Amino acid sequence: MPWTRRRARAAEPPEERLPDLEFLALVKASLEAYAPCVTEGAELKGDSLLSPHGWAVAVAPPHHGGGGHYDLVALPDVTVQQDVPCFMDCVVAMSGNPRQAADAWVQAAGACLLELLAPRGRFADHVSPVEERGVPGWHSITSGVVGFGLEAAENRRLQTALLHANVLCSPTPDARRRPSRSWTRPSRPTGPPSAHTS
């Protein structure tokens, strides 16, 4: 089979990407609207939103996706010196509006961060490992957000498709190990420490 060189396509202009601190300013405003006073005293520095209460949100370097794609890292407690716990999630400005992308992140992964900061079930659900939808050995915090669309009808179509695919009702064993849009931590044993040693 002969090989022929194709003409290169005209390069499309890259999508505009807000600088990290400008995007984090949108995240900060959205967090404040979602949970008033949570960002009190928080500062934008480098590539991070840092709270004086010990939590942070950072923008990871862009490795994939277009200009409207942001990878965010949530750190519930940066005071832990070794092995700082964190979770990552991404968000895309599908409509070209970074403000909507920041709002979407806050309603999904940001809700899990807020719930970790104030665990009262106000921002996200807690699922124990013994519950039917729980992950064995893990306490999960999940926002309940599965996906976003550009409009309500699109969101309903996505949710209906997921329900008909039985994605939300009975996860496969493999899916149970990788919960979507949630943060999980190992369950802590209860009772005297001597009862849990091997």
Side-chain angles (χ1 to χ4, degrees), residues 119-136:
R120 294 184 295 257
R122 180 175 164 211
F123 301 106
D125 292 333
H126 292 256
V127 182
S128 76
V130 296
E131 292 182 50
E132 183 179 345
R133 65 184 184 131
V135 179

Side-chain angles (χ1 to χ4, degrees), residues 28 55 62 98 128 141 148 151:
K28 180 181 179 184
W55 61 267
S128 76
I141 297 175
F148 282 98
E151 56 188 35

Side-chain angles (χ1 to χ4, degrees), residues 49-150:
L49 170 61
L50 302 168
S51 168
H53 305 289
W55 61 267
V57 177
V59 178
H63 293 293
H64 62 281
H69 183 272
Y70 297 88
D71 289 311
L72 297 176
V73 181
L75 302 116
D77 187 359
V78 294
T79 61
V80 178
Q81 294 301 312
Q82 293 180 345
D83 199 21
V84 175
C86 67
F87 60 94
M88 294 183 68
D89 197 6
C90 68
V91 68
V92 178
M94 294 182 290
S95 65
N97 185 341
R99 172 62 159 183
Q100 289 178 342
D103 289 344
W105 185 85
V106 168
Q107 293 172 29
C112 295
L113 172 64
L114 293 170
E115 188 61 27
L116 280 168
L117 300 175
R120 294 184 295 257
R122 180 175 164 211
F123 301 106
D125 292 333
H126 292 256
V127 182
S128 76
V130 296
E131 292 182 50
E132 183 179 345
R133 65 184 184 131
V135 179
W138 294 87
H139 174 94
S140 300
I141 297 175
T142 181
S143 68
V145 174
V146 177
F148 282 98
L150 297 178

